[in-house]
């Protein structure tokens, strides 16, 4: 994250926003893969939700059909 923010120095706001949007996408992909791995390793929805700081209903709603 610090590298991304540092690389935005001197860039315009549109370029910085594009970089942040790409970061959001990458974080989303990483989170989905980690949730899938956690479920395959036997973690409960409750344990995963605790790690992500959200409710178990929210994590199940978002990732339950993967």
């Amino acid at each position: 994250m610090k590298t991304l923010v540092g690389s935005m120095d001197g860039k315009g706001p549109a370029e910085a926003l594009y970089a942040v949007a790409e970061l959001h996408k990458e974080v989303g992909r990483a989170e989905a893969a980690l949730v899938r791995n956690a479920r395959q390793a036997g973690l409960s929805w409750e344990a995963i939700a605790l790690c992500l700081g959200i409710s178990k209903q929210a994590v199940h709603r978002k990732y339950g059909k993967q």
Side-chain angles (χ1 to χ4, degrees):
M1 181 69 168
K2 288 182 182 182
T3 302
L4 176 68
V5 172
S7 72
M8 286 190 248
D9 290 342
K11 292 188 179 180
E15 289 175 294
L17 288 169
Y18 178 75
V20 169
E22 288 302 310
L23 182 60
H24 275 283
K25 291 176 194 173
E26 183 61 31
V27 167
R29 286 188 293 267
E31 182 178 281
L34 290 167
V35 168
R36 193 169 37 254
N37 291 344
R39 287 296 294 161
Q40 290 173 350
L43 268 70
S44 67
W45 289 115
E46 186 173 8
I48 295 168
L50 181 64
C51 293
L52 294 175
I54 59 177
S55 72
K56 93 175 162 182
Q57 292 83 4
V59 76
H60 188 267
R61 184 171 40 250
K62 187 171 183 180
Y63 298 109
K65 295 184 181 187
Q66 290 187 0

